[in-house]
């Protein structure tokens, strides 16, 4: 359009319930069945925005609620009396093209937490990262790391704690880079060996 003002609507749906009694309204209900590949909705640009125009995210959900309750994963399946109920699953998949084997240190996904710094710039303050330690079939090992921004690295993200899978849960490791404070009434260590680098052990500290 060379000049002037142009307004275009790709799809406009307006549903009003004007009758009395009980009404059910669907703004847009898309059902795709009986195909090899089913796509309920396809956005050719690859970006989907809910509540705002997407920026660079594949799915951008914007909310102005107090705690930003923008996304719920709810499972209402009734398993029956005496059976355990299962909640919804949030799955992160890092899948190669199908012919290439996975590699150690492949990153499987991030959960990132951003906020404004003192200068008003939106920065990452923390993230949780999952990765592969060993991709050996039927003997896989994974790692989960918890990372936060630290002042000594100019606000860059650094790993504070990581959980490293072993041959069993008992042989797995939890590494904590910083201090550890346990506020419970009792701490129990069921270990074969206890190794303490510092030869000074202080007990009875108020």
């Amino acid at each position: 359009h060379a000049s002037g003002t142009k307004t275009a609507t790709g799809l406009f749906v307006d549903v009003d319930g004007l009758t009395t009694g009980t009404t059910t309204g669907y703004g847009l209900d898309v059902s795709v069945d009986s195909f090899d590949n089913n796509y309920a909705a396809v956005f050719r640009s690859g970006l989907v925005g809910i509540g705002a125009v997407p920026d660079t995210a594949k799915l951008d959900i914007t909310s102005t609620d107090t705690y930003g309750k923008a996304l719920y994963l709810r499972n209402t399946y009734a398993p029956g009396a005496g059976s355990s109920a299962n909640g919804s699953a949030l799955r992160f998949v890092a899948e190669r093209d199908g012919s290439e084997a996975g590699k150690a240190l492949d990153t499987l996904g991030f959960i990132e937490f951003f906020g404004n710094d003192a200068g008003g710039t939106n920065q990452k303050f923390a993230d949780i990262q999952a990765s592969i330690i060993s991709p050996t079939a039927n003997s896989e090992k994974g790692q989960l790391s918890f990372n936060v921004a630290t002042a000594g690295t100019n606000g860059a993200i650094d790993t504070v704690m990581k959980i490293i899978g072993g041959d069993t849960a008992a042989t797995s490791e939890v590494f904590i880079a910083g201090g550890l404070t346990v506020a419970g009434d009792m701490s129990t260590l069921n270990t074969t060996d206890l190794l303490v680098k510092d030869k000074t052990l202080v007990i009875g500290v108020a």
Side-chain angles (χ1 to χ4, degrees):
H1 190 64
S3 63
T5 300
K6 184 177 181 65
T7 301
T9 301
L11 177 63
F12 178 78
V13 180
D14 187 6
V15 180
D16 293 317
L18 300 178
T19 61
T20 60
T22 301
T23 60
T24 301
Y26 296 94
L28 179 63
D29 187 353
V30 181
S31 178
V32 181
D33 296 314
S34 302
F35 290 89
D36 293 331
N37 295 301
N38 296 335
Y39 303 102
V42 177
F43 298 86
R44 302 301 291 269
S45 68
L47 304 179
V48 179
I50 300 176
V53 176
D55 185 7
T56 57
K58 293 297 183 182
L59 174 60
D60 191 340
I61 302 176
T62 301
S63 172
T64 57
D65 291 346
T66 302
Y67 290 102
K69 304 179 185 70
L71 177 63
Y72 286 87
L73 300 179
R74 191 188 310 272
N75 190 337
T76 59
Y77 170 72
S83 300
S84 299
N86 296 317
S88 302
L90 178 62
R91 177 175 295 188
F92 295 83
V93 179
E95 191 173 58
R96 294 172 181 260
D97 62 5
S99 61
E100 186 178 353
K103 301 291 192 299
L105 302 182
D106 275 358
T107 298
L108 305 179
F110 284 95
I111 301 177
E112 299 180 318
F113 303 89
F114 279 72
N116 286 2
D117 61 14
T121 303
N122 202 251
Q123 302 280 5
K124 182 163 71 170
F125 281 80
D127 68 50
I128 302 172
Q129 175 186 348
S131 58
I132 294 176
I133 294 298
S134 172
T136 304
N138 299 318
S139 186
E140 297 87 354
K141 296 179 183 179
Q143 174 178 288
L144 189 65
S145 61
F146 298 83
N147 317 299
V148 296
T150 56
T153 58
N154 296 322
I157 300 298
D158 204 357
T159 300
V160 173
M161 184 177 76
K162 57 185 175 181
I163 303 172
I164 306 170
D167 292 336
T168 63
T171 59
S172 298
E173 298 180 0
V174 178
F175 173 80
I176 300 176
L180 174 64
T181 300
V182 180
D185 293 334
M186 181 175 65
S187 298
T188 302
L189 299 177
N190 294 320
T191 60
T192 302
D193 297 310
L194 178 62
L195 306 179
V196 181
K197 182 177 181 180
D198 195 330
K199 58 187 176 183
T200 303
L201 181 63
V202 182
I203 61 176
V205 179

